[in-house]
Amino acid sequence: MDTKDVLKVARLARIETTEAQAEALLPQLNNIIGWIEQLSEVDTDNVEPLANVANIELPLRKDEVSDGNCADKVLANAPDEMQGFFSVPKVVE
Amino acid sequence: MTDLTNLTISDALKGLDAKDFTAVELTQAHIDAGEAAKGLNAYITETPELAIEQAKASDARRAAGKAGALDGIPLAIKDLFCTDGVQTTAASHILEGFVPQYESTVTANLFADGAVMLGKANLDEFAMGSANTTSYFGNVINPWTREDGKDLVPGGSSGGSAAAVAARIAMGATGTDTGGSIRQPAAFCGISGIKPTYGRCSRWGTVAFASSLDQAGTFARSVEDNALLLQSMSGFDPKDSTSADIAVPDFAGALTGDVKGLRVGIPKEYKVEGMPAEIEKLWEDGIAMLKDAGAQIVDISLPHTKYALPTYYIIAPAECSSNLARYDGVRFGQRVEGEDLNEMYSKTRAEGFGDEVKRRIMIGTYALSAGYYDAYYIKAQKVRRLIAQDFDKAYEQCDVILTPTAPSAAFAIGENEGDPIKMYLNDVFTVPASLAGLPGMSIPTGLDANGLPLGMQILGKAWDEETVFRTAFALEKAANFTALPQSIVRQAA
């Protein structure tokens, strides 16, 4: 990774990062990534990835409304709401 | 410490039944003890009024002959469990002021059994840390001290929960364990804690860190108390698709004390280079105790152990980067305004998250980004399978596995900072079982040269917490760990 990569990842992650911050992060991230790379020495040919140990088949439920009619609760923690909606800065001109 | 705050949960339940004291008296004693121990910073939000209200209701239920399994028992709840009407922060600035309008399944189960909530316990931010030094609401201090007088960490991420139980300001506590966040703080604070099998407790209403690893569990001062708490918290929940529809056995009923013929596996790969002599001695003592009790000791091998931590530090940050995408300043939590929506997201997240959380989000984003996904994330998932298969093979030869919980006793705040990997190594013995989804318990069995507690870890087969409890109970009896944090000893004197 170089500073440009750090800034790119920060942009993807939507975390505002200055060039100076990215430079400070760079050695830490490279250190961690270098350490992680020891996995490349493990032979994983013909090994299926394990996404979740639960091995539980995802259960299906009936497609019916079981909740709702609680707009007040949904909006109770909204930083900014207006007439029953979440209010955010304009996206489309 | 008073007589009431030093009781175990099982003794307190007997005392409540015998009318030796009321739930209100028991709760008030813990609130008072908490006031006196504020310096530990074990809680982010204290709820004394709610606690007294719950205790009054509990006394009424008991008088009416309708007491539940944990009726009147005051607990600390890790501030990662959403609690209806009580601020839930995950120790992050980004969630400061967030008041859930619903109750997590785990806390709902505890309340249905009559438990009382003293407050929301401090933790590492979003449960990311091994020392409880990443909380936006300040460090938690371990009630144990060493001679140099420096403040020690309680371990993490469930540091506030562990410190509260050790300091006798809560009778028990909930925790969550993603890579060791219950077992390591239990060991650092000289108490017991269990992470059950992945899927035993519902994750619904628990703030997510790494969903394929996160699992709720318990802290208490005895193995039996942990069994009582876990009994209440466990069980199938249709609201969590990874919660298992498997009957919950009677955990306390497993505490027979009989381990004759039990096969205890000792993994050679856990004898890591540079392991302190005291940890090695603790392990040997633990082995001898179980052997004396009639268990059979079996040498086993878990060949991929050394790859567990790097595997974890791909999978956990990857899942964290995905889970934490929801904190964008739109629907709840902190918001920092920006020129446009993207700027609002970026400013909100830059200000709302702490350094360790940002570091992990960025590692995870990198590991999941185009061009690196196969090399990092898929590779880690493959190694994860090999690690799980190691355990499957080992359990053909043994019933439980015995290891130290952590490679050291509690360290001072500031030690191990600066180098993230050094901090990550705290979890070298706990992470493999997390990746395999297996139950693990830590119980205190000895002290180091500084008089600090050390813990032994017992790992079990999936869905076999009973054998973990049975082994832990036998080890608890043999170890007869009675040491108390120095602050508690001083109060008693």
Side-chain angles (χ1 to χ4, degrees):
Chain A
M1 264 183 138
D2 57 25
T3 312
K4 247 173 70 187
D5 294 326
V6 178
L7 287 169
K8 186 189 163 198
V9 169
R11 197 169 61 246
L12 288 172
R14 300 290 187 273
I15 297 174
E16 190 179 68
T17 303
T18 64
E19 198 138 347
Q21 286 169 327
E23 267 164 34
L25 267 167
L26 183 64
Q28 297 175 9
L29 297 183
N30 270 333
N31 192 12
I32 295 170
I33 288 161
W35 175 68
I36 282 168
E37 268 170 4
Q38 59 178 295
L39 289 191
S40 61
E41 68 193 54
V42 185
D43 179 3
T44 51
D45 290 348
N46 306 315
V47 178
E48 276 294 300
L50 178 63
N52 199 310
V53 291
N55 284 332
I56 295 164
E57 275 191 40
L58 286 184
L60 296 175
R61 61 165 173 79
K62 282 200 178 127
D63 185 17
E64 44 190 40
V65 177
S66 61
D67 198 0
N69 281 329
C70 52
D72 288 353
K73 285 189 169 190
V74 172
L75 288 166
N77 285 288
D80 194 10
E81 58 120 347
M82 198 187 287
Q83 297 175 346
F85 292 93
F86 294 97
S87 167
V88 294
K90 191 155 51 169
V91 195
V92 184
E93 290 297 328
Chain B
M1 186 184 73
T2 66
D3 292 345
L4 288 183
T5 57
N6 202 36
L7 291 173
T8 59
I9 292 172
S10 60
D11 283 342
L13 288 167
K14 284 177 203 144
L16 288 164
D17 264 339
K19 299 193 173 65
D20 294 342
F21 46 83
T22 64
V24 170
E25 287 165 348
L26 185 65
T27 297
Q28 190 62 52
H30 283 87
I31 293 171
D32 294 344
E35 278 297 314
K38 269 212 187 280
L40 299 178
N41 200 26
Y43 292 104
I44 291 174
T45 306
E46 284 151 309
T47 55
E49 285 161 20
L50 173 69
I52 290 295
E53 199 183 299
Q54 288 174 326
K56 280 182 184 161
S58 169
D59 283 329
R61 277 193 300 272
R62 198 172 294 278
K66 288 178 183 160
L70 292 172
D71 229 304
I73 300 301
L75 304 175
I77 302 297
K78 187 178 186 181
D79 201 19
L80 205 62
F81 294 92
C82 287
T83 41
D84 193 355
V86 177
Q87 177 183 243
T88 300
T89 67
S92 182
H93 179 45
I94 211 159
L95 273 176
E96 195 173 11
F98 172 63
V99 179
Q101 305 295 304
Y102 49 86
E103 192 71 45
S104 81
T105 300
V106 160
T107 45
N109 287 346
L110 288 168
F111 294 148
D113 281 335
V116 168
M117 180 169 80
L118 293 162
K120 303 297 293 290
N122 205 341
L123 65 151
D124 277 301
E125 185 179 4
F126 284 106
M128 296 177 202
S130 306
N132 216 133
T133 50
T134 71
S135 168
Y136 176 74
F137 301 92
N139 300 333
V140 176
I141 314 290
N142 193 323
W144 293 80
T145 49
R146 61 184 189 201
E147 244 168 45
D148 66 11
K150 285 185 182 161
D151 282 340
L152 304 180
V153 304
S157 68
S158 314
S161 298
V165 175
R168 273 71 182 164
I169 61 175
M171 304 200 90
T174 65
T176 62
D177 190 314
T178 304
S181 283
I182 288 175
R183 291 161 284 163
Q184 183 252 21
F188 277 20
C189 292
I191 59 171
S192 307
I194 184 167
K195 173 200 100 76
T197 310
Y198 180 85
R200 182 66 91 185
C201 293
S202 168
R203 292 183 296 108
W204 193 84
T206 312
V207 176
F209 156 21
S211 300
S212 79
L213 295 157
D214 297 343
Q215 182 56 213
T218 65
F219 292 96
R221 294 188 296 265
S222 76
V223 172
E224 185 186 4
D225 285 1
N226 276 286
L228 297 174
L229 291 173
L230 190 62
Q231 193 79 42
S232 173
M233 286 163 51
S234 298
F236 174 61
D237 177 10
K239 288 188 284 197
D240 172 7
S241 59
T242 59
S243 127
D245 196 357
I246 293 177
V248 182
D250 174 13
F251 294 136
L255 308 178
T256 59
D258 181 10
V259 290
K260 279 193 193 68
L262 183 82
R263 298 171 305 164
V264 179
I266 309 298
K268 65 172 186 216
E269 290 80 5
Y270 282 52
K271 287 170 188 160
V272 291
E273 225 174 287
M275 181 188 269
E278 333 181 88
I279 303 284
E280 217 164 306
K281 165 97 174 32
L282 178 89
W283 199 4
E284 279 162 20
D285 289 348
I287 292 169
M289 287 175 208
L290 287 176
K291 212 169 166 178
D292 286 348
Q296 185 194 334
I297 306 302
V298 188
D299 288 322
I300 59 163
S301 173
L302 299 166
H304 295 90
T305 296
K306 74 176 264 211
Y307 301 110
L309 270 179
T311 300
Y312 177 86
Y313 276 99
I314 294 172
I315 290 174
E319 293 185 15
C320 127
S321 74
S322 166
N323 271 325
L324 271 59
R326 76 191 66 179
Y327 303 102
D328 57 8
V330 173
R331 287 153 300 143
F332 50 82
Q334 297 293 308
R335 176 188 293 183
V336 180
E337 299 296 343
E339 284 293 307
D340 55 27
L341 200 57
N342 262 321
E343 198 183 297
M344 186 199 90
Y345 295 152
S346 301
K347 284 186 184 298
T348 296
R349 290 162 65 79
E351 194 180 298
F353 293 136
D355 289 343
E356 179 64 21
V357 171
K358 283 183 197 168
R359 210 157 32 223
R360 294 201 196 186
I361 290 175
M362 288 175 69
I363 290 284
T365 304
Y366 182 68
L368 291 176
S369 62
Y372 299 101
Y373 183 81
D374 286 339
Y376 291 116
Y377 188 61
I378 297 295
K379 180 77 183 182
Q381 285 193 323
K382 288 180 174 177
V383 181
R384 184 178 185 182
R385 182 172 299 279
L386 294 174
I387 290 164
Q389 285 172 346
D390 281 356
F391 281 103
D392 288 344
K393 281 191 200 124
Y395 282 131
E396 289 170 7
Q397 290 171 267
C398 64
D399 305 304
V400 289
I401 294 170
L402 183 75
T403 80
T405 306
S408 76
F411 45 86
I413 290 171
E415 282 173 20
N416 292 339
E417 301 279 344
D419 178 1
I421 293 174
K422 211 174 162 197
M423 187 65 91
Y424 297 168
L425 286 173
N426 265 288
D427 298 325
V428 63
F429 300 136
T430 49
V431 152
S434 294
L435 289 167
L438 302 173
M441 182 162 203
S442 177
I443 71 162
T445 59
L447 297 173
D448 77 350
N450 285 310
L452 297 177
L454 298 169
M456 288 299 298
Q457 174 180 237
I458 298 146
L459 302 175
K461 298 175 184 171
W463 311 114
D464 191 16
E465 290 87 355
E466 285 169 283
T467 308
V468 174
F469 276 127
R470 182 155 63 95
T471 312
F473 190 65
L475 197 56
E476 179 182 53
K477 241 178 21 189
N480 190 27
F481 183 89
T482 53
L484 290 167
Q486 292 79 353
S487 58
I488 302 287
V489 177
R490 274 196 302 275
Q491 283 170 34

